[in-house]
Amino acid sequence: MPSDRKTELRVGRLTKAHGLKGALKLELFTDTPEQRFVPGAVFRLQVPADSAWHDKTLTLTELRWYNSHPVGFFDGVDDRTAAESLVKAILWVDQDADELPHEDDAWYDHQLVGLRVERDGVVVGTVARVDHLPAQDLLAVDTASGEVLVPFVSALVPKVDVEGGVVVVTPPQGLFEELADDTDDEPASDDVDRSVADGVDEPASDGESAPDDER
């Protein structure tokens, strides 16, 4: 019996106007564009509050491929000016909350929120949310000393056990300071650089989250 519980999934981002007739290049956050991006599909827009598109939806009329890049045509977006006003908009859809991703190593955000986070067998906090950034996803972890952001890549998050309710992390020294091996003050220069490489290493499909996007 279908579930009535719904969650929102991030499935794409509009990156650049294409041509003069309102088309937009897409960055896809799904492995099944043939299912998500069909004529008549409706997407909720994530745009700044001052955008003319705030609190509106877009209806896809056609998806085409140019040199392996997806390009979308949308109802009411008829010229380049309109298309440019939508650049950087993120597209969201509704999804049954109980439906699982098809990939073995991919999870929807709602599956991760609330899981306990362990390091070396010690619980250090719980997953509060997943932040989707252009470079990569971050797990926001609530700890006793505040929020910690962990890059959601397999090197730092080697295990996600939804059924067991746990995420295992192997962060660099200093990320969870309460678990430092000693209490001596360390020079700030000894901290491991946690900057992320340029480029999207996933992004987790369908608003899913996945280390090295995708898991």
Side-chain angles (χ1 to χ4, degrees):
M1 187 173 182
S3 171
D4 290 331
R5 298 193 307 121
K6 297 289 184 180
T7 188
E8 288 191 313
L9 302 180
R10 184 189 61 149
V11 296
R13 183 168 67 95
L14 304 176
T15 62
K16 186 178 181 181
H18 179 84
L20 302 176
K21 297 183 179 180
L24 284 137
K25 289 185 176 180
L26 284 156
E27 177 183 5
L28 299 179
F29 300 160
T30 173
D31 287 335
T32 56
E34 70 281 359
Q35 297 177 17
R36 296 290 186 191
F37 290 85
V38 296
V42 178
F43 305 96
R44 184 182 67 79
L45 292 169
Q46 180 182 334
V47 294
D50 60 355
S51 169
W53 296 97
H54 182 65
D55 204 27
K56 293 185 178 180
T57 61
L58 273 185
T59 300
L60 182 73
T61 58
E62 187 179 3
L63 181 69
R64 299 179 187 175
W65 295 83
Y66 294 93
N67 298 323
S68 300
H69 294 290
V71 174
F73 295 79
F74 300 91
D75 187 31
V77 185
D78 302 320
D79 56 38
R80 189 176 184 88
T81 298
E84 289 177 343
S85 70
L86 281 162
V87 170
K88 297 185 179 180
I90 296 176
L91 307 179
W92 295 79
V93 297
D94 287 336
Q95 172 72 42
D96 288 338
D98 295 330
E99 184 177 329
L100 300 178
H102 298 295
E103 297 80 11
D104 291 335
D105 293 321
W107 302 271
Y108 294 135
D109 292 4
H110 69 271
Q111 294 178 284
L112 300 171
V113 173
L115 298 186
R116 69 182 183 276
V117 178
E118 293 185 357
R119 174 186 174 186
D120 297 330
V122 177
V123 177
V124 296
T126 58
V127 178
R129 68 179 187 280
V130 182
D131 289 342
H132 299 286
L133 303 182
Q136 64 185 158
D137 288 349
L138 301 174
L139 292 182
V141 180
D142 275 343
T143 75
S145 57
E147 183 178 271
V148 175
L149 297 176
V150 181
F152 198 20
V153 295
S154 58
L156 301 184
V157 188
K159 179 180 179 181
V160 175
D161 182 358
V162 173
E163 292 186 359
V166 63
V167 172
V168 174
V169 298
T170 56
Q173 187 70 30
L175 188 56
F176 292 94
E177 294 182 1
E178 68 275 12
L179 294 183
D181 292 335
D182 56 62
T183 57
D184 295 337
D185 291 333
E186 297 291 340
S189 59
D190 288 342
D191 289 344
V192 176
D193 184 2
R194 296 192 300 276
S195 61
V196 296
D198 186 26
V200 178
D201 54 329
E202 18 145 43
S205 31
D206 288 319
E208 302 157 12
S209 301
D212 292 332
D213 214 39
E214 305 204 19
R215 292 182 68 139

